[in-house]
Amino acid sequence: MPTSQPHASGPSEDRATPDDLLHTRTGTEVSPEDLVLASGKDITPRSLEWARRKLEAEGPAALDKLLP
């Protein structure tokens, strides 16, 4: 007797993921630390300065460019 039901265990593969589940931000402020961590870098003075410059130039969209 099967113990799982594949059709009931998750979303169907032929359906697209709703847009609201794909966005990374929750409307909160993006910090340089957030950007550094999202980029996979270690938090160092140099990486924080990079993130500050990137946020200044691109705004919160800088985070969206790094994450799906």
Side-chain angles (χ1 to χ4, degrees):
M1 178 183 285
T3 59
S4 66
Q5 299 174 351
H7 65 283
S9 64
S12 170
E13 290 183 29
D14 62 342
R15 292 184 15 201
T17 303
D19 226 20
D20 61 332
L21 296 178
L22 295 175
H23 295 287
T24 55
R25 285 190 292 128
T26 60
T28 60
E29 186 73 25
V30 177
S31 72
E33 289 85 358
D34 294 333
L35 198 58
V36 170
L37 293 174
S39 71
K41 299 177 182 180
D42 291 329
I43 296 178
T44 65
R46 184 176 182 180
S47 65
L48 288 172
E49 183 55 36
W50 165 82
R52 284 186 194 98
R53 287 192 313 269
K54 192 161 181 72
L55 283 172
E56 188 174 300
E58 300 175 21
L63 185 63
D64 293 334
K65 292 177 182 179
L66 293 172
L67 299 175

